[in-house]
Each structure stands twice: as structure tokens, then as C-alpha cells.
Amino acid sequence: MSDKLELQLTLYPDPILRRVALPVEAFDEELRETVAAMLERMHSSHGVGLAAPQVGLGKRILVLNPSGKPEDALALVNVRILERSGPTTAFEEGCLSFPEIYAEIQRPERCRIAAFAPDGTPIERELDGFTSRIVQHEYDHLEGVLLVDRMSPADRHRLKPALQALVEAYKSPRPAASAKRM
Ligand code: ZN
């Protein structure tokens, strides 16, 4: 048995979450191992989506699984959002980088994406509903944009003590709790 790659979550306010992730250049075995480890981390942390910066990797890779069924797992490499459309809807989002924090976030209902599968196969898709929302959330991570930037001023005020607690915890780390987050 070879050593399996195990990835740990990067929590707010770790500065890596603020960096713009770089494109993947090689669609090789290392990429496929990274994707497999990201999927495992997402599932074991009870998330529905995970972007590479959330496990300390500054690469344009994201994984998602809107239903939680193994066959619905999806990995997108070098994903681009070509277009966002439809009415803007509000949804209470969580984030694996913000344990125990939930905020209502406004996003367009639909998006059209282009990406690559981990084996280099091009993917182009129209997404709507929950899948579209997850992809837009995870794409934000690749740009260094976080939940805290998208929440309403009222939520930011309401969540100020919880956000401050994360800043304190970052200075003296503790284990992350688990819930349904992306
Ligand atoms: Zn997130």
C-alpha cells in the first residue's frame, strides 16, 4: 500500500484563502491523487463542495457533490464561469472554511461553465439550482473571495462575534466541527 494523500481544511482567516489560485498545467497522476483526496476530505467533512485553497493548495481545482451520492461527485479543473443568468436568489450558505457560520447569500440562479475533468477531457455545462450555487461558491474560493465578502451588512454584524472567534481560534488552533457546508 502506498501512502495516501490526506488533506486538512484551511480555516478563515488563513491568508491562503485570499490568494488567487493558479491554473493546473499538468493533467497527471498527481492531479488525480489531489482530486481523490479533495473528494475524500469533502465527504468526511460533510461538505457539498470544496475548492483547493480550502485544503491549502493554490490551484484551480474544485470538487462538488450536490446529492451526496457517490455517482454524483464531480471534479472541475481550471473552471471558468462563462455566463451567469436568471433571477438572483437568496440561499443560506455554509462553508467548510467557516465552521458553524451560515449566511444568506444572493447569487444568480444559473451559470454556464467550461472546465476540464481530471483526465483532461473538456467539460461545458449549463448549471442551475443547487449545483449552480455550489459551483459559484467554490469558484469564489479560486478568486480569493469568501462568504464574509458576500454576506449582507446585517449578517456581518450579527456574525461578528463568531467571525472574531475564528480569528482567535486561528491564533491558537482547535479541531474543526462538522456540519453540512460547502
Ligand atoms: Zn466555501
Side-chain angles (χ1 to χ4, degrees):
M1 287 276 289
S2 61
D3 287 337
K4 214 163 92 183
L5 179 61
E6 215 176 284
L7 299 171
Q8 300 301 320
L9 291 174
T10 304
L11 302 183
Y12 175 84
D14 193 310
I16 194 158
L17 293 169
R18 288 301 190 184
R19 288 182 207 138
V20 176
L22 300 172
V24 169
E25 292 184 359
F27 289 79
D28 56 9
E29 193 51 37
E30 188 187 334
L31 172 65
R32 286 182 279 281
E33 279 172 18
T34 300
V35 165
M38 284 177 64
L39 281 165
E40 188 160 313
R41 168 48 59 205
M42 177 184 76
H43 287 137
S44 61
S45 298
H46 307 284
V48 292
L50 181 72
Q54 294 183 276
V55 287
L57 305 171
K59 289 286 180 186
R60 301 186 82 83
I61 306 168
L62 58 88
V63 296
L64 61 148
N65 192 336
S67 73
K69 293 178 201 151
E71 65 269 25
D72 290 337
L74 183 63
L76 301 172
V77 180
N78 295 347
V79 60
R80 290 178 298 138
I81 296 183
L82 304 174
E83 192 185 1
R84 301 177 203 239
S85 62
T88 297
T89 54
F91 186 85
E92 192 168 70
E93 293 187 11
C95 178
L96 289 172
S97 304
F98 290 81
E100 308 307 319
I101 287 181
Y102 296 87
E104 201 165 78
I105 308 293
Q106 310 263 354
R107 298 187 193 274
E109 177 78 12
R110 291 188 286 277
C111 64
R112 193 160 60 86
I113 60 155
F116 295 90
D119 66 1
T121 306
I123 298 171
E124 194 167 330
R125 281 201 196 179
E126 300 269 0
L127 305 174
D128 63 9
F130 195 37
T131 306
S132 167
R133 179 162 289 270
I134 297 169
V135 168
Q136 291 184 64
H137 176 112
E138 302 312 334
Y139 182 84
D140 274 353
H141 279 296
L142 305 180
E143 296 294 302
V145 174
L146 299 173
L147 206 61
V148 69
D149 308 321
R150 297 267 188 212
M151 62 180 64
S152 69
D155 269 351
R156 200 173 298 124
H157 181 73
R158 175 177 65 83
L159 293 166
K160 201 173 171 182
L163 290 166
Q164 193 53 41
L166 286 181
V167 173
E168 294 302 323
Y170 180 70
K171 292 178 194 163
S172 51
R174 60 182 170 81
S178 67
K180 187 130 178 160
R181 297 184 299 260
M182 60 179 92

